[in-house]
Amino acid sequence: MEVEDCLRFRGALRCLALLSDDLDDTLVPKLVPNLFPYLHTVISSPHLYEKSLRSKALSIVHSCVSILGSMSGVYKTETIALMMPMVSSLMEHFSTILQPPMQSGDPDDWSIRMEVLKCLLQFIQNFPSLVQAQFSVIMAPLWHTFVSTLEVYQLSSIQGCEDAYLGRFDSDGGEKSLDTFVIQLFEFLLTIVGNSRMAKVIGSSIRELVYYIIAFLQMTEEQVHTWSLDANQYVADEDDVTYSCRVSGSLLLEEIANTYREEGINSIIEGAQKRFSESCHAKVAGSTDWWRLREASLFALVSLSEQLLEAQDSGLVKIKLGALLDKMITEDMGTGLHEYPFLHARAFSAVSKFSHVISRGISEQFLCAAIQAIALDVPPPVKVGACRALSQLLSEANKEVVQPHIMGLFSALTGLLKQASDETLHLVLETLQAAVRAGHELSQSIEPILSPVILNVWAQHVSDPFISIDAVEVLEAIKNAPGCIRPLVSRILPSVGAILDKPQLQPAGLVAGSLDLMTMILKDFLSEQSAPADVVKAVFDVCFNPVIQVILESDDHGEMQNATECLAAFLSGGKQDFLAWGGNPEHTMKRLLDAVSRLLDPNLESSGSLFVGSYILQLILHLPSQMAPHIRELVTAVVRRMQSSEIAVLKSSLIVVFARLVHLSSPDIDQFINMLLTVPVEGHANSFYYVMSEWTKLQGEIQGAYQIKVTTTALALLLSTRHVEMAKVNVQGHLMKSNSGITTRSKARLAPEQWTVVPLPKKIFSLLAEALLEIQEQALDGDEEDSDWEEISESEGGIPQDILYSSSVPSNANPSVEHLDAMAKAFNESDDESYEDELTKLDPLNEIKLADFLRNFFIGLSNTDRSLFDHLFQSLTHAQRSAVAKVLS
């Protein structure tokens, strides 16, 4: 080839490599048969073309295979026919490239191997049947690359003796570093392990594979340097799963554990044990890097702590995990804190993760060592590890062990708090929270010292949602400590009162943060049998009117949301006494209703009204007689707010308000329906038609166990009225299936989704059957011995026996994941902690057993009108019919 032609060819290849990512499924099938022979020539001719050019050819192959893979779902036969003639020769060339040992200091060698791995990755993901038969050709060369890469990585990155080309790029912007290649290698291996066909191919080599992976997890010299200088970066990289070889390696180990189960788990533990032994020998031999392998062994175990503990509980672990960890973490305990800070930090984290299998004595020794490390002049990584251990261990620690050290710990953490910033600040606050909870009655003596410091941190970081929340949680822990609530409130109120009195003069975030702080002070009284009313009243005296003013005057949605939550907490804490605290109950009630009016303003952006539903529920629950004269105005405003709402969560919360009003109007629910029928609404016959249309459409999206219980039972109560208007209301039924195949975006634009239209009674009945089915499935998943489906008294959770008069259709509901989770909580009704919304815990409706209620509902219909019941039963889906039949039997 002439020089000029050669230059043109090289230029054309580089251009094609740059354009290959933009090729589409119309070009590639035509391009592959003509282009691949030329690419094959380049790839297979190392004597003619340098590695960088062959890498470009491989990158084009990768792009084409990737596009063909995306087409294979629809054009499987055609794409396989295109690829089949080329697979064998490509595998041979891939093998040739991977066979030689990795070269140190040669980024072009790393790049061409990386392109091979990327091509193989596409073949395995998209054409596994073609690759499986040929994969034996690749296995040995791939293993040679893997093992030799560790040797290069050990010298270049871990020890820092050779150039790892970190942060360097080629002329096209591709990263040339060794770390990038190692991460690609791990990604390829993870794909093999995760593929059911390919996992069998390497199954016999899992122990060796794990053994080498653990060595890759060693801290690099660059990491040691960076993390030693910047503790914030160390905490951030540990917490945020950053892009690194350590993280990629731990993800690969996790996939091995999940895929190979017992063999994978035991391979990981054995690999860690072997590497730990090697570190012991290296230490004896005088190696300065012995600690890296020991830290990597612990890192591997800590990264998979959940899987390992679960396997141990299941009897899958052959080696006694507790004994191994005892040996690994006590080998260097108390020595070398300055020389090997990262090893000691990892030992602390190992103790916190495996505290239940490590011997109690050793766990307590590390607890005391962590407390001491906070106060000692030790490197920041050791303090980070100590904080992590304490935040986990203090909650379960023996009181006799902790109490003698708790005051010193408070002092040390308070001092550390003044030095901390960013990521370390979060960690210290988390540790302080655990210390306050563990301090019990001793916390009272530290409150005068600790509270001002935490309040200062909160004020400085009030616009940072993460740090400010951490600070509030520490203050909440102080508030809940014996004897601390009153001094804390007296310390907070003057400052917060001054802020709320002049909200327009405050810096951004301070008003919203102050409201959040007040809500924290108020909200947890709900869980106590005797709320400290004097504290609630003290907060009321200072903050009630300013909170109302924020709602009436602010345009900041965060302030309005927090003020709404604060008002709801006021009502829950003060209950009926609340109105008298202001001296004029009528005026206080008017202020509460003024806030409702502003929050339900249809012209207000939806975000500002987000928590109005919870607030209205508190008014209904605690001030029902005072609310009764205003129900019509309330309904009118709620309907208008629903119509203008741009947020589904807001609309769902207002549906819960209507459901609670149904219960409030019982047993005169007919009157409530009649009132809705007389309230006009734009675009609909009346408010009843509109509300039921939206309610039945969104019932499957309702979240929260309480909310599901209230809405589900309210639907049954509405149906039980036999109101004549119900059969006249038509609502959205189920989605009509399209006969035009896969629905693309263009098809969706031309032919939007179509739904059936069904009478309201049919829809309600199907929703109730769906709720019954979901609860039964949750019960089955829980495998509970004492099922709610055993014989129960019909008087429990019952409803009137003559209940229904219409028919049903299969439900169109596709409940959200959150809805199903909430159904699980609604079923597990014996556990108070399962309720997400503490504000509604005092509602008597929480006493309803939803499973019993639905069971009696269907039994009642069956007993009172068998012919109607049979008609309804036949119109349900098969799954719904089975659920109903189960309760009847």
Side-chain angles (χ1 to χ4, degrees), residues 134-434:
Q134 305 281 341
F135 200 72
S136 58
V137 178
I138 293 292
M139 280 293 292
L142 178 63
W143 185 254
H144 291 155
T145 289
F146 180 65
V147 174
S148 60
T149 296
L150 177 59
E151 297 172 5
V152 175
Y153 187 71
Q154 182 81 38
L155 285 172
S156 301
S157 295
I158 296 172
Q159 297 177 2
C161 299
E162 297 182 2
D163 194 347
Y165 286 78
L166 287 171
R168 299 189 211 174
F169 301 85
D170 61 24
S171 58
D172 297 327
E175 194 169 354
K176 300 170 66 173
S177 74
L178 181 60
D179 280 31
T180 304
F181 172 72
V182 174
I183 291 169
Q184 181 65 59
L185 180 59
F186 283 156
E187 183 182 349
F188 174 65
L189 291 170
L190 190 146
T191 303
I192 293 176
V193 172
N195 184 289
S196 57
R197 292 184 178 183
M198 307 305 298
K200 297 175 183 177
V201 177
I202 65 168
S204 60
S205 306
I206 285 302
R207 277 177 164 73
E208 292 82 0
L209 179 63
V210 167
Y211 172 76
Y212 281 100
I213 291 170
I214 292 173
F216 274 106
L217 302 184
Q218 295 175 87
M219 289 175 59
T220 65
E221 187 61 26
E222 187 200 26
Q223 286 170 334
V224 171
H225 177 74
T226 301
W227 292 344
S228 297
L229 295 176
D230 189 351
N232 281 311
Q233 191 63 49
Y234 176 54
V235 175
D237 290 345
E238 288 278 296
D239 286 345
D240 296 340
V241 191
T242 51
Y243 183 71
S244 68
C245 296
R246 275 163 73 90
V247 171
S248 298
S250 65
L251 292 175
L252 177 54
L253 290 178
E254 183 178 345
E255 190 69 22
I256 288 171
N258 293 334
T259 299
Y260 298 99
R261 297 298 298 154
E262 182 175 354
E263 184 181 2
I265 291 286
N266 285 294
S267 296
I268 291 166
I269 296 173
E270 289 174 16
Q273 186 179 38
K274 286 182 181 178
R275 290 301 188 182
F276 169 72
S277 298
E278 290 174 10
S279 74
C280 293
H281 295 311
K283 182 180 181 181
V284 172
S287 169
T288 56
D289 288 329
W290 64 270
W291 66 271
R292 295 181 197 260
L293 206 50
R294 188 169 300 181
E295 191 272 345
S297 303
L298 286 170
F299 176 75
L301 296 178
V302 168
S303 299
L304 276 77
S305 58
E306 290 184 14
Q307 291 94 324
L308 295 178
L309 291 171
E310 181 183 340
Q312 170 136 319
D313 292 341
S314 303
L316 301 179
V317 178
K318 295 178 181 177
I319 299 173
K320 289 185 177 180
L321 188 58
L324 174 60
L325 285 162
D326 284 353
K327 184 178 180 182
M328 292 176 73
I329 62 178
T330 56
E331 182 77 16
D332 311 292
M333 186 176 178
T335 61
L337 288 174
H338 292 271
E339 294 85 350
Y340 314 111
F342 295 104
L343 175 59
H344 289 280
R346 187 63 56 204
F348 278 131
S349 67
V351 174
S352 67
K353 292 290 187 181
F354 293 102
S355 59
H356 293 296
V357 296
I358 292 172
S359 66
R360 188 172 185 83
I362 291 175
S363 181
E364 290 179 351
Q365 287 181 53
F366 267 90
L367 177 65
C368 294
I371 292 173
Q372 292 171 5
I374 299 295
L376 292 174
D377 180 20
V378 294
V382 179
K383 291 184 183 286
V384 167
C387 283
R388 290 189 191 282
L390 289 172
S391 63
Q392 296 289 322
L393 296 175
L394 282 172
S395 61
E396 299 177 357
N398 188 323
K399 186 177 179 180
E400 286 71 27
V401 175
V402 175
Q403 292 298 303
H405 306 283
I406 199 71
M407 298 306 292
L409 178 60
F410 278 132
S411 177
L413 285 171
T414 304
L416 197 58
L417 194 65
K418 296 172 182 177
Q419 307 168 26
S421 61
D422 301 331
E423 302 293 338
T424 52
L425 186 56
H426 161 76
L427 187 59
V428 176
L429 287 169
E430 188 179 66
T431 310
L432 266 170
Q433 184 183 344

Side-chain angles (χ1 to χ4, degrees), residues 548-561:
I548 293 286
Q549 287 306 117
V550 168
I551 291 177
L552 297 180
E553 298 175 1
S554 178
D555 293 321
D556 184 290
H557 295 165
E559 292 178 3
M560 295 186 70
Q561 290 173 11

